[in-house]
Amino acid sequence: MNMQTFDNNEIQTNTAPFIANAVFAVEAINAEQSAEKQLKAKQLLDRLFPLENGSHSDVTAYVIDYRHVMAYFKDGRHSGLKHPKHFVAFTGEKEDPHSIVLRDGNGSHMEVLFGHHKGTGAVEHIDIDDIQMETCTTFPQADSSAAMRHWISLVKGDQKGRPCACSEDKEYTAKNGDDYRLDCCFKL
């Protein structure tokens, strides 16, 4: 599936199926095809969390500037997110984050984990080590509903391309410097 064939009207009017199709496009690629997996993961970011200018595919570095995430390109230009409120937290240092956490309009989180710098001396596109998407499973009960937060790995998976899932507590630094914690279990 080529995610570039989706147009903006389809995305705006039918978000849930688009997201599912885009996620399946990333997950369906065999783990051994890392270049293709990188391309699809960055296209997914372009669709869900677009930059004001440019594409996540062309980014060489992400930096936290005050309360914003900035994407830098080979030619020295930089851009923030089209919707800055989507950036909520990070891990690592502001000058070189290990990951950034984005939250969509529905409150679901996506963690983008960056690969190590290759150290070739040349400016290179940043590698995305993994994208972990938050999902919530609800268990209906007689008096209330219980829910569990899961993290689905979109880039890493087994050799057959099946995604890995985990449920763990995650701790980040919020964009304002406070702690930002996402526990695996919670009540609705």
Side-chain angles (χ1 to χ4, degrees):
M1 168 181 288
N2 185 350
M3 292 188 338
Q4 293 177 341
T5 61
F6 291 105
D7 66 14
N8 288 335
N9 292 336
E10 182 177 349
I11 293 168
Q12 292 171 357
T13 60
N14 209 357
T15 304
F18 163 75
I19 292 172
N21 288 338
V23 167
F24 291 137
V26 175
E27 289 178 342
I29 299 168
N30 190 306
E32 295 170 356
Q33 298 173 298
S34 62
E36 182 70 15
K37 202 116 169 129
Q38 285 287 317
L39 177 65
K40 293 293 185 185
K42 291 175 181 180
Q43 287 176 346
L44 176 65
L45 290 176
D46 283 339
R47 296 298 186 184
L48 299 178
F49 302 103
L51 297 172
E52 180 102 45
N53 299 300
S55 167
H56 288 279
S57 297
D58 300 324
V59 173
T60 59
Y62 291 92
V63 174
I64 312 306
D65 183 24
Y66 188 56
R67 294 182 181 200
H68 301 280
V69 64
M70 300 299 293
Y72 284 83
F73 304 100
K74 278 188 177 184
D75 63 4
R77 292 180 304 115
H78 61 279
S79 174
L81 293 173
K82 186 173 185 178
H83 305 286
K85 67 181 179 182
H86 287 170
F87 169 65
V88 294
F90 67 98
T91 61
E93 301 297 321
K94 287 185 170 192
E95 303 80 27
D96 188 22
H98 296 261
S99 69
I100 58 174
V101 180
L102 306 167
R103 185 176 62 208
D104 67 13
N106 296 324
S108 294
H109 294 86
M110 185 175 283
E111 181 180 15
V112 182
L113 296 106
F114 304 117
H116 297 289
H117 301 288
K118 294 180 182 131
T120 62
V123 177
E124 298 177 2
H125 293 129
I126 195 161
D127 281 340
I128 293 177
D129 191 40
D130 197 7
I131 295 177
Q132 293 192 0
M133 179 180 281
E134 174 187 38
T135 62
C136 185
T137 304
T138 304
F139 304 98
Q141 299 184 358
D143 56 346
S144 66
S145 291
M148 176 177 270
R149 176 181 287 134
H150 295 281
W151 294 94
I152 304 295
S153 176
L154 301 184
V155 175
K156 290 187 175 182
D158 64 15
Q159 292 302 316
K160 294 181 181 178
R162 292 183 302 234
C164 296
C166 67
S167 55
E168 62 185 35
D169 295 341
K170 295 192 174 223
E171 295 181 14
Y172 307 97
T173 302
K175 63 183 178 181
N176 67 0
D178 291 344
D179 290 339
Y180 194 92
R181 184 175 169 92
L182 296 172
D183 295 327
C184 70
C185 297
F186 59 96
K187 277 272 218 206
L188 291 178

